[in-house]
Amino acid sequence: MALTQIINAGIGQVTDIKLGGSGSANALSDYETGSFTPTAEDESGNTGTAGESTGYYRKIGGLVHVELRFTNINTTGLTSTNDFVIGGLPFTHSARTGSVFAVSGDVYHAAINTDFTGNIIALLGENQDFIKLVEMTDSGSDHDILVADLTSGTADILMGLTYHTEQ
């Protein structure tokens, strides 16, 4: 995609960058990078701890890409029968009508008990600010990862996820 137009409001100051056309729909409205602290939670909002809990994001317009790393997740304080979720995302997923789930196929995990017939993926639903982990099985009997599925103190999760947010 070609850079079509840059409008300069003064020396050294760019106020408008347009990509792929000169109309207002082509304006790059926001670019931001930063870090955040993801949280280990259960679906009721109880929080656990981790040896390391780091996250980085890049937001371009309404598109957000996050990368996060949890090591040695301690599930003390979480309800074992609840779904395990990752909170603390820097932006809430879009609530647009017809918005699709953000799905990640890039999840590394260790010390999470699964039935080993599928892969763990990350899901982020409309208007949500937390990630749910789901094991996609060969048999089609997919299931959410529960707190009890994590080996407390040794479970690790590393992932990347891209989703839409309101601009």
Side-chain angles (χ1 to χ4, degrees), residues 18-137:
K18 295 189 171 114
L19 303 172
S22 59
S24 62
N26 297 86
L28 178 61
S29 60
D30 185 26
Y31 179 87
E32 181 180 337
T33 62
S35 61
F36 67 100
T37 303
T39 55
E41 302 177 9
D42 65 24
E43 63 187 333
S44 296
N46 299 314
T47 58
T49 60
E52 179 183 2
S53 179
T54 57
Y56 301 95
Y57 72 89
R58 176 169 287 131
K59 180 177 182 285
I60 304 171
L63 190 65
V64 180
H65 179 76
V66 297
E67 296 174 5
L68 60 89
R69 178 182 176 95
F70 273 126
T71 60
N72 302 323
I73 300 168
N74 185 330
T75 60
T76 301
L78 305 181
T79 303
S80 64
T81 54
N82 282 354
D83 291 346
F84 176 79
V85 300
I86 300 168
L89 294 178
F91 303 96
T92 300
H93 187 256
S94 176
R96 298 186 300 229
T97 302
S99 180
V100 297
F101 280 96
V103 179
S104 170
D106 185 15
V107 178
Y108 166 80
H109 63 90
I112 296 178
N113 302 315
T114 63
D115 62 16
F116 298 106
T117 63
N119 296 312
I120 292 181
I121 65 165
L123 296 177
L124 177 59
E126 293 177 15
N127 208 31
Q128 292 180 343
D129 60 357
F130 60 90
I131 299 167
K132 183 179 280 196
L133 300 176
V134 177
E135 182 181 14
M136 305 296 288
T137 64

